[in-house]
Amino acid sequence: MSLAEFLSASLARVRPLPPIDLDLTQACGCILAANVTAPGPLPAFDHATVDGYAVRFEDVVAATPQRPVALKVLGDVSAASWRPVRLVADTCFAVAAGAALPVGTDAVVPLGWTDGGMAAVQVAQAPKRGHGLRRAGSELETGAILAHNGQHVTPQLVALMAAAGVGDIVVRPTPRVVVIATGDELMDTGRVSQPGQLVDVNSHALTAAASEAGAHAYRVGICDDEPEALRTVLDDQILRADLVITTGGTGTGPGDMVRRTFGRDKTVQFSPVAVYPPSTMGFGTVGPEEVPIACLPGDPGAAMIAYEVLARPIILRLAGAEPVFRPSVKANLMETVTSPSNFREFRPVHVAERRGGGYTVAPLPGGPYTLSGLAEATGLMVLGEKVTTAPAGATVDVLLFDRHR
């Protein structure tokens, strides 16, 4: 089966999680399930942006250092208290930044442009009309769309919505992902692998990867190669899962327990997929709630590639995000590479942006099975099924990782 066919069939069975109402802070990181509109104008009222004096423009337009203008100070207006007041000719109010402005205010003269008087003030510099203030609705009018359905809720967006008077919003909940590693040979981290024993890399790596994708990820740990053990773990975990990820046991050998357990009752379809690596992945549903399950291979490098190809898009689909695949760019290959025939290969690479525009890409040593290469990768180069050799200088497709560095 081609990768496109496999992904299309798998993703068609995944629906975004039902929307819920959440408080702004709790909703950060989620995907909006409805447009958010401003319940009132932003700013909500005319206010000062600097400490100074609220004035009428015509009273101070002629002010200069040589000929300052004298105004009577009628009172103080702070940001925490306000009363309905009005400016009249040759008067002003002392105002604090954030304070509501008296009716008739055309500008706020900063303190540094005056002598700082309390009963009367000398204004030595004329402001422009509108200086030092913001008008109600100058940023957003009532009913304006603050954020659109499908948009990611960021801290900056939370700030905007809070300022506009929004208290809670409708979002898709954060997907809950349970990660299970299978294999009698596995042992937990903190020790070096021995003959007959392998450190459980996958459950740690995939839990971290799911968290990076925005999920609430739970590492169950190691499950023995026993069908009943796996079913018991699933029965315990299924209630807190929107997606289950397993690793190991997807092959066709007698010890491939995951395939034997789920393939027998056909709840999970294990398909040879024309992708390198991995070549075999499983997807289906488990439990009465038909929770999606992605069964990935046991080799850590292949499992990480399979996660990128299958599990990560499922997480984003559950969250209601679009698109579900990583952004891609065209890049010029720095060295000649070979690729297996009839397989779509995903190879870890280092991507660099050129000064004049565009990208270059350099394959990392060891290919996808080398974890040190994956650790250094900033993207995955994608070579099509018909590509057996890509010469240096060729243009290739690259999926970009989110690297915080």
Side-chain angles (χ1 to χ4, degrees), residues 5 39 176 267 271 274 295 314 348:
E5 291 173 324
R176 302 163 301 166
T267 56
S271 304
C295 301
I314 293 173

Side-chain angles (χ1 to χ4, degrees), residues 5 22 100 132-133 149 152 157-158 231 238 248 270-271 278 309 357:
E5 291 173 324
L22 280 183
L133 61 80
N149 180 17
H152 188 261
L157 193 54
V158 167
R231 292 192 183 279
I238 204 73
F270 290 87
S271 304
V309 170

Side-chain angles (χ1 to χ4, degrees), residues 260-309:
R260 286 190 292 113
T261 302
F262 296 127
R264 187 177 304 156
D265 55 17
K266 300 190 183 302
T267 56
V268 179
Q269 297 296 320
F270 290 87
S271 304
V273 184
V275 58
Y276 174 82
S279 60
T280 301
M281 295 178 283
F283 179 78
T285 59
V286 290
E289 299 297 324
E290 297 187 341
V291 175
I293 182 170
C295 301
L296 312 183
D299 176 85
M304 293 299 288
I305 300 296
Y307 166 82
E308 290 290 337
V309 170

